[in-house]
Amino acid sequence: LEQCLAAVGATVGSIMLLDEESNTLDIRAARGLRQEVIEQASQRVGEGIAGWVAESGQPVLVHDARTDKRFRMHRYRDDITSAMCVPLKARGRVIGVLNASTTEAGRRFGPREVEFLSTVASQVAMAIDNARLYDGLERRSKELASLLRIAEAITATLDLKEVVALLTRRLLDMPLVDACVLLVYDTDRNRFRVLDGQGLGK
């Protein structure tokens, strides 16, 4: 983001990535924006400038968002004198948008800056997509390693208490697992009872 903004002489900008489940764009990196704006900014696809770009897959150059009928805006920044928004496309799909704006009086971006930013955005999108793929593979690899350790724990001993203790410890090693409870169904009492638990605190 820093390099992109510096290349086009922008003072404000952000990278927003698409959450496909909620169909919203969320800021993942920003410059020149207040922290509360970064934390609260979530734009639906089709709404606002970023949402329009994500939906259409086309870059846009704006000098006055208030007078542009393409955008349904909830808020405006009157200090922005010129703004560009380009899609981040990877493997034929939009994964987010790159925003670049200036608050410099009299400064206006032109078609050349939009074209340049669009070219850079293609590389940015590929880098982000590759990082996501790597992150997913790494997480999957950790999950498989954890499952292997669980399988080894089950076959390591015939002592029930040891197996249960090993299972809960190994399950706790899995990615995104913070607590684990192992229950067994008691047919005589028609209810579950706890055999062991890890990560529950006191």
Side-chain angles (χ1 to χ4, degrees), residues 4-194:
C4 290
L5 298 183
V8 295
T11 53
V12 181
S14 65
I15 288 177
M16 305 179 79
L17 296 183
L18 177 64
D19 183 331
E20 293 183 351
E21 289 186 7
S22 63
N23 202 35
T24 57
L25 294 159
D26 300 304
I27 294 177
R28 297 303 178 88
R31 178 183 171 191
L33 296 175
R34 296 192 310 275
Q35 188 60 36
E36 60 265 27
V37 172
I38 297 170
E39 292 172 356
Q40 297 173 7
S42 182
Q43 197 145 30
R44 292 195 63 80
V45 171
E47 294 182 357
I49 296 171
W52 185 90
V53 170
E55 185 175 58
S56 68
Q58 299 297 316
V60 71
L61 174 62
V62 183
H63 301 307
D64 186 358
R66 289 182 184 273
T67 60
D68 199 314
K69 296 181 179 178
R70 290 175 294 180
F71 315 126
R72 298 194 299 276
M73 305 286 286
H74 297 297
R75 61 175 70 89
Y76 298 87
R77 274 190 63 172
D78 291 325
D79 59 331
I80 296 291
T81 55
S82 189
M84 297 180 286
C85 184
V86 298
L88 295 172
K89 292 182 181 179
R91 293 185 292 172
R93 60 190 178 87
V94 175
I95 65 168
V97 299
L98 172 59
N99 299 297
S101 308
T102 181
T103 56
E104 185 182 341
R107 172 86 162 95
R108 290 206 165 193
F109 299 124
R112 289 182 63 183
E113 284 97 341
V114 175
E115 184 179 358
F116 176 79
L117 197 64
S118 296
T119 302
V120 173
S122 298
Q123 302 303 313
V124 172
M126 287 300 297
I128 291 171
D129 199 49
N130 287 339
R132 281 177 160 179
L133 286 172
Y134 176 79
D135 186 55
L137 288 172
E138 187 179 32
R139 186 168 58 249
R140 182 61 177 155
S141 176
K142 288 179 179 178
E143 288 174 352
L144 291 173
S146 297
L147 289 173
L148 179 60
R149 288 194 295 269
I150 290 168
E152 290 172 347
I154 292 172
T155 57
T157 178
L158 295 177
D159 184 278
L160 179 61
K161 286 185 178 180
E162 286 186 32
V163 170
V164 168
L166 280 169
L167 275 175
T168 52
R169 283 202 300 272
R170 294 293 181 242
L171 285 167
L172 204 60
D173 290 338
M174 293 188 72
L176 305 179
V177 176
D178 297 316
C180 172
V181 178
L182 190 61
L183 302 100
V184 65
Y185 183 66
D186 188 331
T187 54
D188 293 333
R189 297 183 178 181
N190 194 31
R191 60 188 299 176
F192 286 94
R193 59 187 177 88
V194 176

